[in-house]
Amino acid sequence: MRLKDKLPLSYLLFTTRGRIHRSTYWLVSAFIWSTFYVLHTILYDFVSEGSTYILYPLLIGSLVATANKRLHDTNHSGYWLLAILIPVLGPLWLIYQLGFRRGDKHQNLFGTVPNEAADYFKNDNGQPVPHSAPERIINDVTQLNPVVVADVFRPKSVDELQERLRNTTGPVSVGGGRFSMGGQTASSGSLHIDMRGLNQVIQFSKEDRRITVQAGIRWCDIQRFVDAHDLSVKIMQTYANFTVGGSLSVNCHGRYMGHGPLILSVRSIELVLADGSLVQASRTENSDVFFGTIGGYNGLGIIVSAELDLEDNLAVRREYHNLPRSDYRTYFADTIRDNPEAVFHNGDMYPPTYTNMRAVTWVKTTEKPTVKTRLMPLRESYPLERYFMWAFTETAAGKWRREHIVDPLLYLAKPIHWRNYEAGYDVAELEPRSRTKRTYVLQEYFVPVRHFDTFSAKMSEIFNRYQVNVINVSVRHALPDSGSYLAWAREEVFAFVVYYKQRTNDVAKNTVAIWTRELIDAALSVGGAYYLPYQAHATSEQFHQAYPNARKLFALKKNLDPDFRFHNVFWDTYYQPFLSTGLTG
Amino acid sequence: MLRLPILTVIMVLLASFLFFRKGRQALTTPAGKGCVVPKDWLVSNPHPVTPTEHIRPADQTFLTYPEWFLVHSPAEIADYAHERTTTTFPYMSHVKQLWQSYGVVYDQIKGSFAFNTGYHIMIWVIGVSTTVEYALKALYETVVGRLTNPTNGAVVTDEDKFNAQFSQDYVDFIRVLPWYEFDFKARIPQLLKGTSFFGPHFIRKFERKYMLLTELLVKSGYGYLIKIGTKASYDEALLTTAVVINRLPAVPDTLTPIKTYPDGSALLLLPRYEAFHPAVSALVKQGVTFREIAGNNSAILLTVLAPETWQPVSQNLQLVFTQPIVTKPGLKRVALVTTVGSLDKTIRYAQEQNVKIEHVYDY
Ligand SMILES: Cc1cc2nc3c(=O)[nH]c(=O)nc-3n(C[C@H](O)[C@H](O)[C@H](O)COP(=O)(O)OP(=O)(O)OC[C@H]3O[C@@H](n4cnc5c(N)ncnc54)[C@H](O)[C@@H]3O)c2cc1C
């Protein structure tokens, strides 16, 4: 932990690093002066006049430190404090600079805007294992899946990566942002390849609305690049922390209307196979590799670049409609599905009854956005979000208050955002203070649109029977996949994104596994599927029923990765048994 | 980081508690709660003999006190500056004395006279300015001045000597004329030329020069603004006070009456402000009594400097409040009210008691 987090007050008072806002400066000055006055008076009155001198180093130190930080906020070095030596004008200028001048709106020489994070939340580079270098522990965002890997390699170029694969044998696991939640990024004893170093934009065409990027780049990096050209990523998740490679490998989706799985926006990819060779793939070239790699959890090879479609970066206005769950399907079909104005849509189902919904749609607008920045500003901490999350999950009537008090208040606002802004959330807003005892986990089920009501009823029955601490069920829509082997949308589907809280002890983990399998069955019973980047609780039968083309992919893997180098929980769980029982498995 | 706001609130509350707690020494002691002056002393003269242009409101004898405190206070500072550097001067005690005494004198006239808005605004302006000045000085001296102060606060540097002289000249000036007429600007070259840059106590010299330069620059700028403001909002002040006396003194002196009346009484113009009380004392010595001062015939305020133990006992006067002179232990300022008709007796009483009359507040 950094000093900043461990002792925030000492960091503020006694280091000159970083920047602070005007308001913080006023507050901390009030604190310093009142504290000085109190201590000075006490020492003077009750000890001796001389004893007060011990306060001076503290006083002057903290005044200089906080003034430094405030000067940094307007891109001035701390040496400007020397202006105080110019009588009258120096102090006046300093008073204005320190107490009144607005800080720079953007990052400057001395750091990011105060309380804004420098970057999106990231997972670590692997924790060293004591006395056992170069082994490292690779974990994902939930901290539930620690895996000791033999070494971590972070290629800086595709050549370096090819070379490493050519010159080594043995298992390899690949990680992007490591926001998948069930060990998909690591395998015990493997060489772990951290793709985040390959993060360049390779080619960009504004006219064609097309961008080619290295696979370790994150959506937020692409947003920063294309925003200047008034363009926006066509399909991505709501959060922008994820890498393109990790998103391609799960074939992600967002809240976009008229779109569906990520594959619909991919023109071509390049990947490095187990033997180190480089392969191009698209719908027309090596199409089996294309359809096996996207949504393929690093089974065939490591994606090193991708060519993606872009769209216009429009302003969008939020609208909402509260309705009973039973009306949602018709409401959606009649007013949202074919509405060319709708850009984002999701329907939130309120636990614990799951009978009321809030349908939220962001529609195109020519009005001026209500936010100052074009991209979402990042924050250091999300205390309010954290509080609400705690209140919804831990207090009696927390869920009732959310549905009937908190959300109605939050939805009083009529925000207008940019398309890029609304797709720029930081996973940090969901991060709890600690994940040791309890953790937040995601699951997702895909259900053909006509079975929305049947599945909803089954789902809420299961949640209530197991008393699952569900925070939210968000319903999204997706058009059919264009052919990936592990397609979760083989027809038009609703995605049920379930966000819940669980304890981290073994009993709790087991309970989750049990109700998860029941939910999977519920989805399968209506011809649906479940999402693979989360905990691998599904049985082999369930998996194959949900993904009937998995065997095709397995056969392809056997061909392209004959030595089974690309490992992770997913392949260990479902491919390993298949290998031992033969292709007929 | 919710801790900082909480801690700040706690510290600010503690600090205010310490600031406002009763000190070991009461800085202003009123003679009683609310108005202690007999009500029949608090009236305007219904039929003044004094010509209108020389009449001033009766409540102003009280309201001029805070203004005069801002002469008494620099006077105390100037006295102190000769003995010791002003770094350890108790500025904040004077701020408290100023506002406390304003409260007491206002208590005396409240209800008996209509609210004198113009005068109160003026008191607030000078009161707030002085509070800011003294608070900044107290802060500066505590944080910086104290660190460079020579042992025992000895006045050893040229700069501290300059300060002593400047303080004295300033008080002598404002006893007669408004402070904003003082030529602060002219002192700047004196400060820079009259003191060497290097020398023993170099840090003190440098720091004092910085602080004096700042004070002179700010005061000349602020004085200029106040001068414009005063000229725009207030009439030019008369520099005389008209008094009606019962008879002309036997020994005619330089004072020639403006007017004499058939009953032997006479209207005289005495100097206002600082020189008023010596002129009054001179007349008292000649056995004269007063009928009107600036058109008024009722309450008039005066302050005397007396030993700590002194208690005034006389039917002609009423004690209003006392204030210790904080830098001169054993001495206190006593504010007394008498009537215009008994002013001669009260002055004689003070002289008999051997206490020094500091000022007579001539409306
Ligand atoms: C808070 C949160 C919200 C989410 N919301 C959504 C959502 O709205 N919609 C949605 O579809 N998903 C969502 N997800 C799931 C998310 O899309 C996946 O977990 C995604 O894989 C994360 O990307 P990543 O870069 O972290 O991938 P990682 O977790 O690092 O990797 C995922 C998989 O891809 C493989 N991989 C990574 N990089 C490469 C590469 N270059 N070549 C080949 N294989 C690679 C890994 O081996 C692993 O199997 C969400 C997850 C979280 C934590």
Side-chain angles (χ1 to χ4, degrees), chain A residues 120-261:
Chain A
Y120 278 81
F121 176 81
K122 274 190 217 148
N123 282 305
D124 62 16
N125 296 332
Q127 293 293 323
V129 180
H131 317 299
S132 187
E135 286 190 343
R136 278 179 179 264
I137 300 170
I138 290 292
N139 211 331
D140 61 39
V141 66
T142 59
Q143 305 293 321
L144 286 177
N145 304 291
V147 174
V148 178
V149 298
D151 194 0
V152 173
F153 172 54
R154 189 172 185 147
K156 288 195 198 65
S157 68
V158 176
D159 287 344
E160 236 180 69
L161 174 63
Q162 286 182 277
E163 173 113 354
R164 186 76 176 234
L165 282 175
R166 246 183 260 129
N167 299 339
T168 53
T169 53
V172 167
S173 60
V174 174
R178 299 213 314 277
F179 288 96
S180 50
M181 296 180 159
Q184 287 82 352
T185 52
S187 179
S188 173
S190 64
L191 167 68
H192 179 80
I193 296 175
D194 180 345
M195 291 296 287
R196 291 174 296 181
L198 288 172
N199 59 358
Q200 300 302 308
V201 172
I202 300 169
Q203 228 188 23
F204 167 69
S205 161
K206 186 172 175 168
E207 301 73 51
D208 282 1
R209 300 201 290 185
R210 175 173 53 81
I211 192 166
T212 309
V213 291
Q214 291 187 320
I217 200 170
R218 299 167 304 171
W219 296 121
C220 55
D221 304 319
I222 299 183
Q223 286 176 334
R224 242 172 263 146
F225 184 93
V226 300
D227 188 74
H229 304 279
D230 293 322
L231 291 173
S232 177
V233 176
K234 185 175 181 182
I235 301 177
M236 59 176 280
Q237 302 90 326
T238 302
Y239 295 92
N241 308 59
F242 312 124
T243 66
V244 167
S247 305
L248 286 168
S249 284
V250 304
N251 197 8
C252 75
H253 66 95
R255 292 172 294 153
Y256 301 99
M257 278 316 304
H259 298 322

Side-chain angles (χ1 to χ4, degrees), chain A residues 493-550:
Chain A
V493 294
F494 279 124
F496 289 69
V497 183
V498 180
Y499 197 52
Y500 65 95
K501 191 173 192 177
Q502 73 165 86
R503 289 167 187 269
T504 53
N505 61 46
D506 289 335
V507 178
K509 284 191 199 168
N510 253 325
T511 320
V512 170
I514 292 168
W515 60 253
T516 301
R517 285 193 278 273
E518 278 199 39
L519 265 178
I520 293 172
D521 279 338
L524 295 177
S525 72
V526 293
Y530 65 96
Y531 206 18
L532 296 169
Y534 307 130
Q535 293 166 2
H537 293 309
T539 64
S540 217
E541 293 72 43
Q542 286 179 319
F543 167 69
H544 285 288
Q545 206 181 331
Y547 294 95
N549 287 331

Side-chain angles (χ1 to χ4, degrees), chain A residues 223-331:
Chain A
Q223 286 176 334
R224 242 172 263 146
F225 184 93
V226 300
D227 188 74
H229 304 279
D230 293 322
L231 291 173
S232 177
V233 176
K234 185 175 181 182
I235 301 177
M236 59 176 280
Q237 302 90 326
T238 302
Y239 295 92
N241 308 59
F242 312 124
T243 66
V244 167
S247 305
L248 286 168
S249 284
V250 304
N251 197 8
C252 75
H253 66 95
R255 292 172 294 153
Y256 301 99
M257 278 316 304
H259 298 322
L262 175 61
I263 191 169
L264 301 178
S265 70
V266 184
R267 298 197 186 181
S268 67
I269 53 172
E270 260 185 334
L271 65 160
V272 172
L273 301 181
D275 61 2
S277 57
L278 192 69
V279 177
Q280 317 268 344
S282 69
R283 283 181 188 77
T284 50
E285 184 185 10
N286 293 321
S287 65
D288 54 342
V289 175
F290 184 76
F291 290 123
T293 302
I294 298 179
Y297 293 84
N298 183 40
L300 304 183
I302 304 174
I303 306 168
V304 290
S305 73
E307 188 184 354
L308 304 168
D309 286 335
L310 299 171
E311 276 205 355
D312 288 333
N313 183 29
L314 305 162
V316 288
R317 189 186 61 236
R318 187 175 74 188
E319 292 177 348
Y320 70 88
H321 179 60
N322 291 333
L323 71 177
R325 184 182 80 201
S326 48
D327 291 352
Y328 181 74
R329 239 189 84 210
T330 24
Y331 168 78

Side-chain angles (χ1 to χ4, degrees), chain B residues 190-206:
Chain B
Q190 288 177 22
L191 168 67
L192 298 179
K193 288 202 200 101
T195 60
S196 59
F197 188 77
F198 293 106
H201 302 281
F202 171 69
I203 297 180
R204 176 70 179 179
K205 282 168 70 65
F206 183 82

